[in-house]
Amino acid sequence: MLNRRQFLAASGWAGASLALSGLVGSAGGVSAPDPALDADTFHGLRRYARTPLGDIAYVAQGSGDAALFLHGFPLNGFQWRGVLPRLAPYRRCIAPDFLGLGYTRVADGQSVEPAQQVRMLLALMEALDLPSVDLVANDSGGAVAQLLLAQHPDRVRTVLLTNCDTEIDSPPAALLPVIVLARQGRFVDEWLGRWHADRVLARSPEGIGGMCYADAAHPTDDAIDTYFGPLLSTQHRTGLANAYAIALSRNALAGTADALRRSRAPVRVVWGMADTIFAARNMDYLGEAFGNFRGVRQLQGSKLFWPEERPDVVAEEARALWRAWTPALTRR
């Protein structure tokens, strides 16, 4: 339940969000064609940034100030294929693949734990000459976004968080069976492998579709191939993905509360209320966690990976948040 601070922040935000929502559709109330990138186009846009941690795969669109889009587990940057073209007119939109997931080539011996994901983002920013960024994040990517804000507040302009880890719920209880199987070296083969081989199962109530998506058409065949194919391609890649899951067993956000409370970057939260992985109490916690909190928007019926299904909402909220940022806010 929202407290008074959250309610006032959300109420003050409503005007900006509604004003921007009128710009999403085309004139006359007719919806514009979906600009989402198809799989072939997305793969064709992929580039690699060479860093000490590995060759970091990323897709970028747009120009100007940069925004980083941080995906969930076990997904990759393809999660943002509907968001990038919507926001490319306003930012240089960059969707990297985390260490151990997607198409990133991890350096030999490199850890894939959350603290190293922060190092990877800083190295990527250095490689791409990005002094500061806006962050948009989902699921475990939200934990990395909070770590980056806590440890390097000068590098973060704004943060848009969707359903994700918090200091009080990391890892969530629903992830514990995944961690157990990953420790046995079985998670990728026995879960992702089965879903990759059987798309109907993947979209069923027992699959990732029923667990994490509201629309029974998700994940699409292209998404299944793009998310799981790389992780099943070699034993080495399978081991890295299992290692990513194992690394989530330790609460990487423990001890970040004071730093997040001191942060001045505007932070907005959009929460899918039908999430079966992260409880709604995490949404309430986030409402008190940041020094410059900009309110919560609740999406009824939406689950963990709703940003993939509702990229228009991500775009609407990001634009409103970016308009709210001024340098003075981060210097106070």
Side-chain angles (χ1 to χ4, degrees):
M1 187 172 233
L2 296 181
N3 60 27
R4 183 175 182 275
R5 178 172 177 255
Q6 292 172 305
F7 176 77
L8 291 174
S11 298
W13 197 262
S17 291
L18 288 173
L20 284 175
S21 67
L23 299 175
V24 175
S26 59
V30 178
S31 296
D34 184 359
L37 302 172
D38 61 37
D40 288 342
T41 302
F42 193 89
H43 292 314
L45 291 171
R46 184 176 297 108
R47 299 293 181 268
Y48 291 87
R50 180 162 294 180
T51 77
L53 295 85
D55 296 336
I56 310 306
Y58 69 94
V59 167
Q61 286 195 300
S63 60
D65 291 337
L68 293 182
F69 295 80
L70 308 183
H71 62 80
F73 169 73
L75 313 185
N76 56 51
F78 192 62
Q79 181 181 22
W80 305 106
R81 63 192 179 278
V83 176
L84 300 188
R86 286 175 164 87
L87 290 175
Y90 312 100
R91 286 292 191 274
R92 183 183 178 188
C93 298
I94 303 167
D97 291 352
F98 280 128
L99 298 166
L101 299 178
Y103 294 80
T104 285
R105 303 162 184 156
V106 181
D108 291 343
Q110 172 60 51
S111 166
V112 298
E113 66 181 8
Q116 296 302 309
Q117 306 292 351
V118 173
R119 283 191 61 219
M120 179 274 287
L121 292 181
L122 292 171
L124 177 66
M125 291 170 66
E126 183 71 19
L128 299 182
D129 192 22
L130 310 177
S132 62
V133 293
D134 300 290
L135 297 176
V136 180
N138 177 241
D139 188 46
S140 60
V144 176
Q146 292 171 68
L147 286 174
L148 183 60
L149 176 62
Q151 297 171 6
H152 303 276
D154 57 318
R155 308 299 299 271
V156 179
R157 288 191 301 268
T158 67
V159 183
L160 178 61
L161 291 176
T162 65
N163 301 52
C164 65
D165 296 79
T166 66
E167 188 179 22
I168 63 168
D169 191 21
S170 182
L175 193 64
L176 297 182
V178 169
I179 294 170
V180 169
L181 283 175
R183 284 181 170 143
Q184 298 170 2
R186 298 165 51 196
F187 165 68
V188 173
D189 287 331
E190 294 188 12
W191 284 34
L192 306 189
R194 289 178 63 213
W195 294 337
H196 187 255
D198 187 343
R199 312 307 168 87
V200 174
L201 176 63
R203 288 186 282 267
S204 73
E206 293 74 36
I208 193 172
M211 295 178 194
C212 300
Y213 296 87
D215 184 348
H218 284 275
T220 64
D221 285 355
D222 282 343
I224 291 169
D225 284 335
T226 303
Y227 294 149
F228 306 151
L231 309 185
L232 295 159
S233 60
T234 67
Q235 287 187 338
H236 178 64
R237 296 302 311 278
T238 294
L240 285 170
N242 280 324
Y244 186 104
I246 295 168
L248 299 179
S249 64
R250 185 179 66 85
N251 186 354
L253 293 173
T256 59
D258 288 345
L260 293 177
R261 200 170 293 115
R262 289 193 302 268
S263 66
R264 300 310 306 160
V267 178
R268 173 75 165 166
V269 173
V270 185
W271 199 268
M273 298 302 292
D275 190 352
T276 61
I277 309 299
F278 293 104
R281 68 189 178 101
N282 291 283
M283 173 190 69
D284 295 329
Y285 175 84
L286 291 172
E288 296 293 328
F290 302 100
N292 190 3
F293 180 66
R294 295 304 180 98
V296 174
R297 177 175 175 180
Q298 299 180 8
L299 299 180
Q300 301 300 324
S302 290
K303 295 187 178 181
L304 175 60
F305 292 150
W306 70 262
E308 188 170 348
E309 300 173 291
R310 304 191 65 181
D312 55 320
V313 173
V314 178
E316 174 188 327
E317 291 287 343
R319 289 181 60 192
L321 184 61
W322 297 344
R323 284 164 58 100
W325 178 84
T326 64
L329 284 171
T330 62
R331 290 199 299 263
R332 281 194 316 199

